[in-house]
Amino acid sequence: MTSDLILKLVAEHGPWVLLVFYLLYRDLQKDQATRAVLDKNSSILIEITTIIRERLPAAGARR
């Protein structure tokens, strides 16, 4: 977006335009933070699962 377009929107519609863009930006930040936390939790769960599988005896090894 160019600054001319933003200035035109603000001139025509007032500060509501800035508020909408700000809220959209904050929503994007929240989504990115949530995605980062979920990715981190997924990687931790994968590591825990791998450790558990390594320590459990193999299925059918006692037979």
Side-chain angles (χ1 to χ4, degrees):
M1 266 190 190
T2 63
S3 60
D4 294 337
L5 177 61
I6 294 174
L7 290 176
K8 181 180 175 186
L9 288 172
V10 171
E12 289 179 13
H13 300 289
W16 293 107
V17 174
L18 293 176
L19 178 62
V20 168
F21 280 115
Y22 175 74
L23 291 175
L24 288 172
Y25 174 71
R26 292 297 292 167
D27 191 50
L28 175 66
Q29 284 182 329
K30 185 180 84 171
D31 288 346
Q32 289 172 340
T34 302
R35 184 174 305 265
V37 168
L38 289 174
D39 288 342
K40 181 70 173 173
N41 286 346
S42 295
S43 65
I44 290 170
L45 287 174
I46 289 169
E47 288 182 35
I48 291 171
T49 303
T50 304
I51 291 170
I52 290 172
R53 284 186 182 163
E54 289 173 352
R55 293 185 182 194
L56 286 177
R62 294 183 183 180
R63 293 182 188 187

